[in-house]
Amino acid sequence: MTFRKFSLFSLLTLTITGMLTLCGCANNTSSQQSANMAQYQTFGFVPQSGTPSRATSLAHNAVSQELMSRGMMPSDNPDVLVNVHVFANRQVKMPRNSNLGFAAARYPYLEEYYNNLPPGYHANVSQYTEGHLTVDILDTRQKRVVWRGKANKPVTRRVLNNPTRAMDQAVGEAFRSFPSPRR
């Protein structure tokens, strides 16, 4: 029973974290130089096995809105396929020179004392969860990626409280440099 509760809790946490991560603090986009996005009129999503997570469903809705705002329409026989990947992972943040205390910074002759302390003794370590969103657009005829957008953001309480808004922001950030403007 405890294992089942833990697994369900872990799955729920991962899903929510994925949604929150998509707020898009940092983004990374790329497109093929020869790709003319105006040539594509229809889109569809890469089929998934199993039931999509809540984060993936929110991402699909937000991506659909972005593409439709650019004049593309959903289709069963699309010009491009959209692959959405949402995940979250734990990060550890530890400042450089974490074993050196304030005194060592102010009085360099104390550095030797602080360097002899056990690892992590004065470490100011923080852990956080970071969410990641990747959107790939694939040309169905040429069978190649024609555009990729990414967004990364720490998962915060604010993201968890409003995952739909967080996902919309993340997708918007990922699409910031999409070659085809909104109509």
Side-chain angles (χ1 to χ4, degrees), residues 113-158:
Y113 168 77
Y114 282 97
N115 280 337
N116 291 329
L117 291 173
Y121 182 76
H122 281 294
N124 186 12
V125 177
S126 63
Q127 293 185 359
Y128 63 97
T129 302
E130 185 169 69
H132 305 273
L133 166 71
T134 303
V135 180
D136 288 331
I137 297 189
L138 310 119
D139 185 308
T140 57
R141 284 180 236 111
Q142 298 176 16
K143 304 214 183 296
R144 67 182 180 97
V145 175
V146 292
W147 181 82
R148 170 174 281 173
K150 294 181 180 182
N152 305 311
K153 180 168 180 124
V155 177
T156 63
R157 178 77 49 208
R158 183 181 225 172

Side-chain angles (χ1 to χ4, degrees), residues 41-181:
Q41 302 299 314
T42 59
F43 71 92
F45 288 93
V46 172
Q48 294 182 341
S49 60
T51 305
S53 69
R54 177 132 195 268
T56 300
S57 296
L58 289 174
H60 279 204
N61 290 339
V63 167
S64 292
Q65 292 300 315
E66 283 288 339
L67 292 174
M68 288 189 291
S69 75
R70 288 166 166 79
M72 296 177 74
M73 299 303 296
S75 172
D76 292 332
N77 187 21
D79 297 329
V80 294
L81 283 174
V82 179
N83 188 31
V84 175
H85 184 64
V86 178
F87 71 98
N89 63 340
R90 298 284 294 162
Q91 299 286 328
V92 176
K93 184 177 180 181
M94 188 166 85
R96 291 175 43 199
N97 299 330
S98 62
N99 282 339
L100 298 179
F102 171 76
R106 185 151 170 94
Y107 306 105
Y109 59 88
L110 292 177
E111 185 174 339
E112 184 177 322
Y113 168 77
Y114 282 97
N115 280 337
N116 291 329
L117 291 173
Y121 182 76
H122 281 294
N124 186 12
V125 177
S126 63
Q127 293 185 359
Y128 63 97
T129 302
E130 185 169 69
H132 305 273
L133 166 71
T134 303
V135 180
D136 288 331
I137 297 189
L138 310 119
D139 185 308
T140 57
R141 284 180 236 111
Q142 298 176 16
K143 304 214 183 296
R144 67 182 180 97
V145 175
V146 292
W147 181 82
R148 170 174 281 173
K150 294 181 180 182
N152 305 311
K153 180 168 180 124
V155 177
T156 63
R157 178 77 49 208
R158 183 181 225 172
V159 171
L160 294 173
N161 288 340
N162 196 343
T164 302
R165 182 170 183 239
M167 186 61 76
D168 289 347
Q169 289 174 344
V171 169
E173 185 72 23
F175 272 82
R176 184 172 289 182
S177 67
F178 190 75
S180 177

